[in-house]
Amino acid sequence: MQENNFHVNEHSLKTTISNVEPNKLTTRGYNQQDLIEKIRYGDMIYLLLKGRLPSIKESKMFNHVLVSFCDHGVTPPSTQTARIIASSGSSMNSAVAGALLSFGHKHAGAIEKTMNLYQSRINSLILTEDSDLDNKQIASLAIDIYNDYLQGKEKIPGFGHRYHTTDPRAEKLIQMAIKEGFVGPHIKLAVAIEDLVHQNKGIKLNVDGANAAILSDLGFTPDLGLGIFIIGRVPGIIAHIHEEKMDEDEFRRFCDLDDVVYGGP
């Protein structure tokens, strides 16, 4: 008789995020009862993602990022998808899931791509404690990036918007970074590129370009960019789903037959 060599490891799951014990919850080393009392929601997100609590400046900047992502009206595909699903009578979680599934390369994908650009290029520099020297390096790097994309006839990620000539969110985010004294090398690079792109193309930073720089200076890796965008955007999506269910007719039409052009045989 063949011996059964299948064994279940009693400790097959390991985590450094939270520990659950009878009548006690610990997250990243902090008692959740204390966290409930003493920190804000954005700080909790930061703690979960980074493994530590933010400083006062980091807390403010991370909060600005989350608020800036919250909503952009009905036009984004994710919001329209959520409202169509809600219109059919589906549940809240189904409509939210549909919205999340609509995020892709063309919608919400720019944040990760822009963070990759900023971080890979800044990492190529040898930054010093001499701000004048570092600023010159970053300015020169911005010129190289602009010329690289110009030569390749590509659009620099994080710039331009289909509705805004000046994205009010990006403009405010950079203002807040300056106000909080939180201008690191990635923000400097983004602003330097913006100067060149706006001067030559009339195009400015969008919310993804600004937040990619801020998140990079906060120390977040590009693979977390989309996740942070989702955390910021979900409240707005939920608001749209609720509005759709409360104020609109069920199974309402988003287009009429007269809007459809048949091009088949």
Side-chain angles (χ1 to χ4, degrees):
M1 182 176 179
Q2 187 175 4
E3 183 180 354
N4 187 351
N5 292 320
F6 180 76
H7 298 285
V8 177
N9 187 345
E10 295 180 359
H11 304 289
S12 58
L13 288 177
K14 295 181 180 180
T15 180
T16 60
I17 300 172
S18 291
N19 186 41
V20 180
E21 303 171 88
N23 306 319
K24 183 179 180 181
L25 286 169
T26 304
T27 296
R28 298 293 194 187
Y30 294 92
N31 189 308
Q32 274 203 26
Q33 288 181 314
D34 294 333
L35 295 174
I36 290 169
E37 177 185 2
K38 296 178 180 179
I39 71 170
R40 298 178 179 181
Y41 179 57
D43 295 341
M44 185 65 172
I45 295 169
Y46 194 99
L47 174 64
L48 287 167
L49 296 180
K50 294 277 287 178
R52 64 173 178 84
L53 288 170
S55 67
I56 294 174
K57 283 186 180 181
E58 289 169 335
S59 175
K60 289 181 178 180
M61 291 308 303
F62 191 58
N63 182 71
H64 297 328
V65 169
L66 293 177
V67 172
S68 73
F69 277 143
C70 68
D71 190 55
H72 196 262
V74 183
T75 59
S78 55
T79 308
Q80 292 188 25
T81 300
R83 295 190 76 128
I84 290 171
I85 294 173
S87 175
S88 73
S90 293
S91 63
M92 173 67 77
N93 59 300
S94 296
V96 171
L100 298 185
L101 289 172
S102 73
F103 292 141
H105 176 66
K106 299 295 183 180
H107 175 36
I111 184 74
E112 182 176 333
K113 189 174 182 181
T114 311
M115 288 176 74
N116 269 316
L117 170 64
Y118 292 161
Q119 293 184 27
S120 64
R121 294 304 185 98
I122 287 295
N123 288 340
S124 70
L125 301 179
I126 300 176
L127 297 178
T128 68
E129 298 297 323
D130 187 332
S131 60
D132 289 336
L133 177 59
D134 289 345
N135 289 342
K136 289 179 182 178
Q137 288 192 78
I138 292 171
S140 178
L141 182 62
I143 294 172
D144 291 341
I145 292 171
Y146 176 79
N147 288 333
D148 287 346
Y149 277 85
L150 184 66
Q151 185 176 6
K153 297 181 179 179
E154 295 180 68
K155 178 184 174 183
I156 302 176
F159 290 83
H161 198 282
R162 57 179 176 163
Y163 292 121
H164 309 298
T165 53
T166 298
D167 190 329
R169 300 163 297 177
E171 185 176 54
K172 188 64 175 181
L173 285 162
I174 297 301
Q175 289 175 0
M176 295 309 298
I178 295 171
K179 179 181 177 181
E180 298 295 343
F182 193 83
V183 180
H186 302 94
I187 295 175
K188 288 180 180 179
L189 178 60
V191 172
I193 296 173
E194 182 182 46
D195 288 342
L196 292 168
V197 176
H198 185 248
Q199 180 181 351
N200 292 283
K201 301 285 186 179
I203 298 171
K204 304 189 77 174
L205 274 167
N206 59 35
V207 68
D208 293 319
N211 278 333
I214 294 169
L215 290 174
S216 294
D217 279 339
L218 283 169
F220 287 100
T221 53
D223 60 299
L224 283 172
L226 177 58
I228 295 170
F229 172 84
I230 290 171
I231 293 168
R233 181 54 60 92
V234 164
I237 289 171
I238 290 173
H240 280 282
I241 294 167
H242 182 66
E243 182 179 73
E244 183 70 30
K245 287 179 175 290
M246 294 296 103
D247 298 348
E248 301 292 345
D249 295 333
E250 290 185 358
F251 202 65
R252 72 181 175 109
R253 292 174 297 184
F254 282 75
C255 68
D256 293 316
L257 285 176
D258 292 340
D259 298 322
V260 180
V261 177
Y262 175 65

